[in-house]
Amino acid sequence: MADQHIYSPETIIKAYSLGLFPMADSRDSLDIKFYDPDQRALIPIDNTLGHGVHIPRRLQRRVRQAPYVVTINQDFTAVIDACAAPSNQREDTWINKDIRRLYIALHKMGFAHSVEVWLDEVLVGGLYGVALRAAFFGESMFTRKSDASKIALVHLMARLRHGRFLLLDAQFTNDHLQQFGITKIDRADFQGRLADALFAEADLALEIPSAQLVIPFLNSLTQQAS
């Protein structure tokens, strides 16, 4: 019997615009569910949220050392497959075959984007998410080398700041993201911020290499702290 796909990429975009996000219960699940939690976790990319942008000094030094090559949209499929794969940190994920299919389609449509981290031309970390106007919805990340996923996130934050994005949605908080000043807000506040982001224009500046964006971003944080 042929697979029956209930949702289209357009369904996912509509869900994001309403403040919902999709997840499967497990990697092998046959269903996709949509969530609209009472609280939403956002990562500050400017000083209008929580205590503003926060990147630990040790991580800032690590990013400046450039131990890896960081790219954007060079291998989206490899990134989502790595995010879906079991690892030492997680035995299962919420990325099932339909989620994979839908987000690869969204990438081809120009909505879903990946950040890749390379060491000697081997993919060692990365993340992916969806950009909708001035909102970016982070979906998942993975790491195979020290700090690889953290460095990917810093590069994403730099790109979003440069492109005048207003919102970086992490959906839920966890220990890994606490160091970035992640802030929980209630649904009403999130809906207001989302509406502002969907009304505004932003640009991922895909033609600009990540290395050209991240150092000015880190320098701006140093100037604010001084």
Side-chain angles (χ1 to χ4, degrees), residues 20-21 29 40 55-56 60 71 75 80 98 114 118 145 151 163 182 204 210 215:
L20 287 73
F21 57 87
S29 174
R40 203 66 162 252
I55 299 171
Q60 290 192 40
T71 60
D75 200 338
I80 194 170
D98 279 345
S114 58
W118 308 88
K145 290 290 184 180
I151 289 173
I182 195 166
L204 281 173
S210 286
I215 299 303

Side-chain angles (χ1 to χ4, degrees), residues 63-204:
V63 173
R64 290 180 184 275
Q65 291 167 355
Y68 309 115
V69 174
V70 181
T71 60
I72 185 166
N73 287 348
Q74 291 302 299
D75 200 338
F76 184 90
T77 300
V79 169
I80 194 170
D81 285 347
C83 288
S87 69
N88 293 333
Q89 291 78 32
R90 58 194 177 198
E91 295 181 359
D92 198 3
T93 73
W94 54 269
I95 303 169
N96 66 3
K97 64 178 183 179
D98 279 345
I99 291 280
R100 178 184 186 275
R101 173 187 63 84
L102 287 166
Y103 281 82
I104 290 175
L106 287 171
H107 173 63
K108 293 177 180 178
M109 294 167 65
F111 290 105
H113 304 275
S114 58
V115 176
E116 303 89 12
V117 180
W118 308 88
L119 178 62
D120 298 329
E121 300 184 355
V122 176
L123 187 65
V124 296
L127 59 81
Y128 76 95
V130 171
L132 198 59
R133 300 286 287 179
F136 193 95
F137 306 90
E139 286 302 320
S140 189
M141 58 175 57
F142 78 99
T143 188
R144 294 171 180 159
K145 290 290 184 180
S146 176
D147 294 327
S149 63
K150 297 175 186 178
I151 289 173
L153 180 55
V154 173
H155 277 256
L156 173 65
M157 293 168 67
R159 188 172 293 277
L160 297 182
R161 181 74 168 267
H162 174 83
R164 299 187 177 184
F165 277 74
L166 300 180
L167 184 151
L168 173 52
D169 177 31
Q171 301 169 357
F172 303 112
T173 186
N174 57 43
D175 293 341
H176 182 72
L177 296 176
Q178 288 291 338
Q179 62 194 295
F180 292 95
I182 195 166
T183 301
K184 292 192 292 186
I185 61 176
D186 62 30
R187 183 189 287 116
D189 189 0
F190 175 74
Q191 287 288 347
R193 291 175 180 270
L194 176 60
D196 290 342
L198 295 180
F199 186 74
E201 293 186 5
D203 183 5
L204 281 173

